Amino acid sequence: MTDLPEKKSRFRMTRRRLILGGSLIGGALVVGYIATNPMQVAGAILQGGGDDPQPSAFGPFIRITDDGWVTVVNKQQELGQGIHAGLAAIVAEELDADWDRVRVVDSRSNFRAYGPQMTGASNGIASNWDLMRNAGAAARAMFVAAAALRWGVPGGSIDVRDGIVSHLDSRRTATFPELLADASRQPPPESPTLKQPADYRLIGTDKVRRKDSLSKSTGAQVYTQDIQRPDMLVAMVAHSPRFGGTLARFDASDARKVKGVVDVFAIETGVAVVAETTFAAWKGRDALRIEWDDSEAETRSTHELVRYYHDIAAGRSDVEPAEFDSKGDDPEVPFDGDVADFAFDFPYLAHAPMETLDCVAQVNGWDVSITSGAHLATVDQVYAAFAARTIPGKVDIEVVPAGGSFGRRGVLSSDYLVECVRIAKRTDGRPVKLMWSREDEIASGYFRPMSHHRVWVQLGPDGFPTRWRIHSVCQSLLPVAPNSLATEGITHSPYFSTASTVDGKIFTPTFPVVVGLWRSVGHSYTALMMEHIVDQLARRADLDPAAYRRVFYEKVGDRRRLAVLDELCRKAGWGTPLETGWTRGLAIHEAFGTIVGQVAEVRLVDGRPIVRRVVAVVDCGIAIAHDQIAAQMEGSIGFGLSAALYGAITLKDGIVQETNFDRYLVLRMNEMPVVETHIIASTSRPTGMGEPGVAPIAPAVANAILALTGQPTSRLPFLDGNARSNTDVSVQS
């Protein structure tokens, strides 16, 4: 056995690491600013990264060539959400380009050229709306100016459509390629004129479809797992089976005997096996004999953690709460009269994307080259530099599409990418592809946090809340900020509008199980809490759930929610009869600026919910691509329903019990309901669509079950996550 000279803990982002990293590579940084503005600081110290983009007179995001093609540069991560189509449509609309001659390429990491490159919080379109509109409008103005100068006519008399610049009075026309040289010499306007929504010809039409469908359908799309480099090695890492466990000693003698194994060594997160092939790395890892030190590891089982959370919420622990929402003068006054009491438990959830974690890295002195489906390229540059003992500007990340993520590639410690860089530092300049197996990816965590919530509601004579008290228990996702993500979807809820008092407290325990962003984040459980409580209160007051919600929305003056509610009831046939055994459940929730309402048609077969149809109504501001919005809603409902029915990561003595799809079950094709998506017309700026559709499906189903049985839901998943029952029952049954 090889004894280790010192113990090193699992790599996690902490305030200390962030400050130290920033200090090492950024000079005299202000500690307080770093702690509260880590992304801005990270960007300010990058000063480059990848190669500068190809020179273009139209800025870093638009390239126009003499063959008539308009290329839009995408700085976001494409992980299945279809960001290419949305960004390209924004540019093409303002540029008045020919949509069939528009293509998209992904940028490398380069803060100087593109600013922060981070994809999350469903902000890919929202955060680029003004940027891409102005880029497209400025390029259009340059072509108009070039044509006006060539033809000696006022710029206001020139029109552009589908890449053709024309002067109607003289019937003169020119294509983008014909004007390209002259347009390139025109100064771009600082504040170009932007179109009004009424003038859109492309945005909001069925013409806007994905730009990457063909490559993904034919297998031509290159993912990290497809990457090959000359002389490249493959690495796999043996991790501690327990969170917080560290390496005590290991014996690599058998591993080194495996044909193709090149080297075996300890790194901060475990033992790395480096080989000529994936198979050799896998076999070499299996041959390792390892002893782990669990002295600081999490060794409790799930039922013990649940009991611990219940004690915390009841005040039977030393975990002190923080206030997340408060209303009224004296929230501590005991509740009396008609009081409803609720409790909810939600499990850890894995991301389980189709593509497991992987990365290609090469370290040559100060230079680091990385290829990865990087969710947060700007953050990854900083942490890769920290691991390689270089500066972020020397880290070049080639960002390739990812085969899903749901937040797993957006871990703020860049864990798997850092692991790959650490291994590459030991391979004498040879590139290394790090591969995680499905078991590695599920068992190693950064789960959606488990949580517990106690809610007390005091009701008035009319059946509406007069006081709310909420105690939420959840680990924090952000060590440098308050635990606000755990209560998003509760804070400032419209359902507080009839109450004189709100007392919201969040308890944040800390222990070694690692948690991270999971699609829809805190909304993934707060939607069920709030929407299911409201349905129970409505039935307690003997009122229709839709009518009950309307009172809250009207009191707070929420016109958007009212519009969604009205459209949802119309499209779903709310209040009309269904066949015997079927019923409807309704939920409306806002996440990332988008309001989504869903009605699920449900029946029970031997206690198992069967969901046959979901009607969804969405207000996401200006709808750029209707087809993409519908696709996002369908994917979100499938993802959310899968978690609601089956999703649960459980621990036994600190060890994850679900490590592949035989135990971490996901929705099957025959269980997927028919989804109808309806979009509220809007002229407001776009909001997010990647995540908001996830949150309402669980409460919609729970509310349908409540209508069928009178029994509320107090925990998820609905079914035993380790035993699929009635697998042959389809949604049409």
Side-chain angles (χ1 to χ4, degrees):
M1 287 282 188
T2 300
D3 290 306
L4 301 180
E6 60 178 308
K7 295 180 180 179
K8 296 183 178 181
S9 62
R10 180 186 178 91
F11 186 88
R12 293 192 298 271
M13 186 186 78
T14 63
R15 184 189 299 266
R16 179 175 178 275
R17 282 190 182 276
L18 186 60
I19 293 172
L20 281 177
S23 300
L24 285 171
I25 53 188
L29 300 177
V30 179
V31 170
Y33 187 79
I34 297 171
T36 55
N37 300 273
M39 298 303 100
Q40 292 91 326
V41 171
I45 62 179
L46 293 180
Q47 297 302 312
D51 294 336
D52 286 334
Q54 296 177 15
S56 171
F58 307 104
F61 296 103
I62 300 176
R63 304 171 193 163
I64 303 175
T65 51
D66 56 12
D67 58 0
W69 279 94
V70 175
T71 299
V72 177
V73 178
N74 167 41
K75 71 168 186 172
Q76 304 298 131
Q77 167 64 15
E78 165 52 43
L79 38 89
Q81 82 277 40
I83 190 68
H84 287 178
L87 296 181
I90 297 171
V91 170
E93 180 66 72
E94 294 290 350
L95 179 56
D96 280 305
D98 179 356
W99 178 247
D100 293 331
R101 302 285 286 174
V102 175
R103 58 193 172 196
V104 183
V105 296
D106 294 315
S107 71
R108 303 179 84 90
S109 59
N110 191 317
F111 180 83
R112 181 173 56 246
Y114 306 116
Q117 291 169 265
M118 295 175 287
T119 302
S122 297
N123 75 348
I125 293 296
S127 64
N128 287 284
W129 173 245
D130 293 329
L131 179 69
M132 291 304 192
R133 289 181 76 201
N134 279 284
R140 181 188 189 277
M142 293 165 73
F143 278 103
V144 169
L149 185 63
R150 178 180 293 187
W151 297 332
V153 298
S157 65
I158 292 177
D159 187 34
V160 184
R161 181 172 295 202
D162 292 333
I164 305 294
V165 184
S166 58
H167 182 246
L168 299 181
D169 292 342
S170 64
R171 298 185 179 181
R172 282 177 287 191
T173 64
T175 63
F176 280 176
E178 291 169 339
L179 288 169
L180 184 59
D182 291 345
S184 298
R185 288 190 286 267
Q186 301 300 313
E190 291 186 6
S191 300
T193 301
L194 302 175
K195 289 184 179 181
Q196 296 299 311
D199 298 324
Y200 290 158
R201 299 167 181 161
L202 178 63
I203 286 177
T205 70
D206 291 337
K207 193 174 182 181
V208 181
R209 298 292 178 116
R210 295 185 70 118
K211 289 288 184 179
D212 56 358
S213 296
L214 181 61
S215 61
K216 290 185 174 180
S217 300
T218 61
Q221 179 64 63
V222 174
Y223 298 94
T224 306
Q225 291 195 16
D226 301 316
I227 297 295
Q228 298 296 327
R229 297 277 189 264
D231 209 27
M232 187 175 73
L233 297 168
V234 179
M236 298 192 79
V237 177
H239 301 106
S240 169
R242 289 186 171 91
F243 298 99
T246 56
L247 185 61
R249 58 189 61 86
F250 69 99
D251 184 343
S253 56
D254 290 342
R256 293 182 184 279
K257 295 175 185 177
V258 174
K259 183 180 179 180
V261 170
V262 174
D263 201 358
V264 182
F265 48 83
I267 58 174
E268 186 168 325
T269 51
V271 181
V273 178
V274 182
E276 299 289 350
T277 65
T278 303
F279 181 76
W282 200 317
K283 295 295 288 184
R285 187 177 67 168
D286 287 346
L288 289 169
R289 293 195 295 275
I290 302 176
E291 292 182 17
W292 300 101
D293 180 354
D294 292 333
S295 59
E296 298 182 9
E298 180 57 65
T299 58
R300 287 173 290 186
S301 298
T302 292
H303 69 275
E304 295 173 290
L305 289 173
V306 169
R307 186 165 59 245
Y308 174 51
Y309 273 36
H310 286 202
D311 288 343
I312 292 173
R316 298 189 296 268
S317 80
D318 58 358
V319 179
E320 294 294 326
E323 185 179 278
F324 72 83
D325 206 339
S326 180
K327 177 182 177 182
D329 297 330
D330 193 359
E332 297 296 333
V333 174
F335 283 22
D336 58 17
D338 188 4
V339 178
D341 185 353
F342 308 92
F344 298 92
D345 288 291
F346 300 96
Y348 287 117
L349 293 176
H351 301 80
M354 287 300 295
E355 182 186 13
T356 58
L357 296 174
D358 46 21
C359 178
V360 174
Q362 185 172 15
V363 178
N364 286 308
W366 285 68
D367 295 318
V368 181
S369 298
I370 294 171
T371 299
S372 175
H375 224 318
L376 307 175
T378 300
V379 174
D380 290 343
Q381 276 185 269
V382 173
Y383 277 101
F386 189 90
R389 305 276 193 247
T390 187
I391 59 174
K394 302 294 285 183
V395 177
D396 172 24
I397 300 180
E398 178 188 14
V399 182
V400 297
S405 171
F406 314 120
R408 182 57 184 90
R409 290 176 178 268
V411 172
L412 294 178
S413 65
S414 305
D415 64 324
Y416 71 99
L417 185 140
V418 164
E419 194 170 72
C420 188
V421 171
R422 287 195 172 121
I423 296 169
K425 277 181 62 68
R426 302 279 295 270
T427 60
D428 298 323
R430 294 181 68 177
V432 175
K433 180 190 292 185
L434 174 68
M435 300 286 291
W436 281 33
S437 69
R438 177 65 62 194
E439 288 78 7
D440 296 333
E441 186 267 319
I442 292 182
S444 293
Y446 288 98
F447 304 127
R448 194 284 303 267
M450 66 175 288
S451 63
H452 171 67
H453 310 266
R454 287 294 307 276
V455 183
W456 298 265
V457 183
Q458 182 173 313
L459 300 167
D462 59 357
F464 286 88
T466 60
R467 302 180 71 195
W468 287 80
R469 176 167 293 145
I470 302 172
H471 288 183
S472 292
V473 184
C474 186
Q475 289 171 269
S476 179
L477 296 172
L478 299 174
V480 295
N483 194 5
S484 58
L485 294 181
T487 57
E488 57 183 359
I490 306 175
T491 307
H492 306 315
S493 169
Y495 301 128
F496 297 160
S497 62
T498 63
S500 61
T501 303
V502 176
D503 174 23
K505 290 186 170 60
I506 176 69
F507 298 77
T508 307
T510 58
F511 50 95
V513 179
V514 290
V515 294
L517 304 169
W518 189 90
R519 192 176 185 182
S520 78
V521 201
H523 299 285
S524 63
Y525 48 82
T526 61
L528 186 138
M529 283 176 53
M530 300 305 293
E531 290 300 305
H532 198 40
I533 286 174
V534 165
D535 249 51
Q536 292 176 69
L537 296 180
R539 296 180 188 283
R540 189 178 178 124
D542 197 26
L543 293 173
D544 174 77
Y548 192 75
R549 284 172 171 80
R550 185 180 301 281
V551 173
F552 295 104
Y553 301 162
E554 289 178 344
K555 185 171 181 62
V556 80
D558 195 329
R559 295 182 179 179
R560 293 179 68 204
R561 273 189 172 87
L562 286 168
V564 169
L565 176 64
D566 289 342
E567 184 73 353
L568 186 62
C569 289
R570 280 194 297 269
K571 297 298 186 182
W574 185 262
T576 61
L578 290 171
E579 308 95 302
T580 301
W582 290 94
T583 194
R584 299 182 181 95
L586 177 151
I588 296 175
H589 190 77
E590 181 177 359
F592 309 103
T594 294
I595 297 175
V596 175
Q598 293 173 7
V599 167
E601 294 183 2
V602 181
R603 75 165 179 156
L604 296 175
V605 176
D606 297 330
R608 170 190 173 83
I610 305 299
V611 186
R612 69 174 179 184
R613 176 181 181 235
V614 177
V615 178
V617 174
V618 55
D619 179 351
C620 58
I622 292 172
I624 294 174
H626 287 208
D627 181 69
Q628 278 300 107
I629 291 171
Q632 284 285 18
M633 191 60 63
E634 291 159 9
S636 295
I637 287 171
F639 186 83
L641 183 58
S642 182
L645 288 175
Y646 303 116
I649 290 291
T650 59
L651 305 180
K652 182 178 181 181
D653 301 327
I655 298 176
V656 173
Q657 299 301 291
E658 299 78 15
T659 59
N660 211 316
F661 293 126
D662 58 334
R663 292 178 63 85
Y664 192 76
L665 303 182
V666 296
L667 199 72
R668 293 183 178 177
M669 291 178 66
N670 68 316
E671 299 169 304
M672 181 66 191
V674 173
V675 177
E676 301 173 18
T677 300
H678 304 276
I679 302 169
I680 299 290
S682 175
T683 57
S684 299
R685 59 185 298 119
T687 51
M689 269 310 303
E691 301 172 83
V694 173
I697 186 61
V701 174
N703 290 338
I705 295 172
L706 178 67
L708 284 168
T709 66
Q711 297 299 312
T713 296
S714 61
R715 59 175 292 276
L716 289 180
F718 293 116
L719 301 173
D720 178 1
N722 293 326
R724 185 186 299 272
S725 60
N726 299 310
T727 55
D728 294 330
V729 179
S730 70
V731 295
Q732 287 80 24
S733 297

